[in-house]
Amino acid sequence: MKVIYLKNIVLVLCSSILFSCSDSSNSVPDDTILNPELKGSGYFDYSDYAPLAKQPIKVYFHIPANSNSNTPIVFLFHGDDRNASEYRDALIAKSEQYNFIILAPEFSEQYYPTGDKYNLGNVFVDGDNPSPATLNPENVWTFSIIEPLFDYFKNSMLLNANWYHIIGHSAGGQFAHRFVMFKPNARFNTVVASASGWYTVPDLKVDFPYGFIKSPLANLPFSTLFSKKLYVQIGLLDNDPNSPGLRHNAQADAQGLNRLTRANYFFDFSKNQALQNTVNFQWQISKVAGLDHNYIPAVNYAADLIFK
């Protein structure tokens, strides 16, 4: 059993069905199954994906006032501060403007510590030192919780969505662009990977996590990868080589010394790979004037890319 906390309402979530609490003066009747009129912001604890049931995530959401069963869903992935509620709050105005639902999962340090468990998706026990012996089963990859969560939410809320969009910023941008790579058959539509600190580049001469070698990505067809609707978003002022938390080593610095140059490197290298392999290239890069590494304007610009 899980509890959703909503403004002035507490709703109990049990077996993927939402019921009201009978002892709340603001509750709906006990026999109401998922009130389709549910609006506003809240959160719920999700642990129904069995392989990661012992690593629950808190999912912050916002349902706009004009939503209906056809309202699209946007997954919003936070940065290294693990502040999903603040990311959700930063995007509420756009949610109301464009009429989309925000789902912002929080991958806590308690259950998903370090970049291995979050940024790199728990694909390997140690993502910086990949090997066949340390490759985790796909069902425990952090990436693998997103599709079940999508089904859980849309079924619980009686939504008709067959796909979803993704916005990820900073560490969330890393999660987002790697999700596209490791889960190419997932039901995402448009993905905006914003201000990643560094990238897994589709380079078949460089080891994971900086390239594709020594990972399942070595077998990923470029025709599949480059057919995805991926935006690489970067602020033109996100060019500080001494930005806190920005990784510096020989492999990361080979992509550039700051997020701006690394975003350009990732996009340009990928585009050249598509040209050399004569495959269609659907990716785009969005360079935003006046934007530094601030997630608040970044996620709003990302929403504009998807819905304008």
Side-chain angles (χ1 to χ4, degrees):
M1 180 178 292
K2 302 170 182 65
V3 179
I4 290 184
Y5 296 91
L6 216 66
K7 293 177 180 176
N8 300 319
I9 302 175
V10 179
L11 301 171
V12 176
L13 192 61
C14 183
S15 300
S16 300
I17 298 176
L18 193 62
F19 297 89
S20 65
C21 296
S22 59
D23 60 350
S24 170
S25 60
N26 294 317
S27 66
V28 293
D30 285 339
D31 59 353
T32 298
I33 299 176
L34 263 186
N35 180 359
E37 302 302 319
L38 185 63
K39 314 292 181 184
S41 296
Y43 71 85
F44 60 93
D45 295 309
Y46 177 68
S47 60
D48 278 33
Y49 178 57
L52 296 176
K54 294 182 180 180
Q55 297 165 252
I57 57 175
K58 195 177 295 294
V59 182
Y60 293 88
F61 66 84
H62 181 76
I63 302 171
N66 293 322
S67 65
N68 56 52
S69 61
N70 295 315
T71 299
I73 293 171
V74 173
F75 276 92
L76 178 61
F77 296 125
H78 57 70
D80 195 50
D81 287 342
R82 317 295 177 116
N83 52 338
S85 64
E86 294 174 354
Y87 269 67
R88 187 261 332 260
D89 291 349
L91 202 57
I92 285 176
K94 291 293 184 184
S95 168
E96 295 290 342
Q97 177 185 347
Y98 293 126
N99 195 38
F100 63 84
I101 293 168
I102 303 168
L103 285 184
E106 186 167 277
F107 295 96
S108 68
E109 286 283 2
Q110 179 182 1
Y111 296 118
Y112 299 90
T114 75
D116 282 324
K117 292 291 195 298
Y118 180 41
N119 309 31
L120 295 176
N122 197 42
V123 175
F124 291 93
V125 175
D126 180 357
D128 286 301
N129 296 285
S131 71
T134 61
L135 177 64
N136 287 320
E138 185 172 356
N139 65 353
V140 299
W141 296 356
T142 311
F143 300 128
S144 295
I145 202 171
I146 302 305
E147 288 275 298
L149 173 57
F150 171 62
D151 284 329
Y152 180 91
F153 185 80
K154 79 163 191 170
N155 292 337
S156 296
M157 297 300 293
L158 305 182
L159 300 173
N160 296 324
N162 294 317
W163 43 263
Y164 49 89
H165 302 297
I166 292 173
I167 296 172
H169 179 75
S170 196
Q174 294 194 41
F175 185 93
H177 84 264
R178 294 186 183 109
F179 182 83
V180 170
M181 295 170 173
F182 281 101
K183 292 291 185 178
N185 296 320
R187 289 162 291 174
F188 56 84
N189 186 318
T190 303
V191 178
V192 182
S194 172
S196 300
W198 54 281
Y199 296 84
T200 296
V201 179
D203 190 335
L204 295 176
K205 297 179 181 178
V206 174
D207 292 348
F208 187 81
Y210 304 95
F212 279 15
I213 298 301
K214 294 185 180 180
S215 83
L217 299 178
N219 299 314
L220 175 63
F222 286 152
S223 58
T224 298
L225 176 61
F226 296 139
S227 69
K228 306 304 181 183
K229 296 179 183 178
L230 173 65
Y231 281 95
V232 180
Q233 177 175 276
I234 190 66
L236 290 177
L237 299 182
D238 200 352
N239 57 2
D240 181 4
N242 299 311
S243 179
L246 184 62
R247 177 179 289 202
H248 284 291
N249 57 32
Q251 296 91 338
D253 289 350
Q255 301 177 9
L257 297 181
N258 59 64
R259 291 185 180 91
L260 176 59
T261 55
R262 291 176 182 182
N264 285 324
Y265 177 87
F266 173 65
F267 182 81
D268 291 342
F269 188 98
S270 301
K271 186 175 183 179
N272 287 334
Q273 281 284 48
L275 289 171
Q276 291 171 16
N277 289 273
T278 61
V279 297
N280 190 29
F281 188 68
Q282 291 295 319
W283 297 9
Q284 297 185 57
I285 189 166
S286 176
K287 303 177 188 180
V288 185
L291 177 64
D292 54 17
H293 197 59
N294 189 336
Y295 74 88
I296 296 175
V299 298
N300 282 272
Y301 283 120
D304 289 337
L305 286 176
I306 296 172
F307 291 103
K308 259 191 177 179

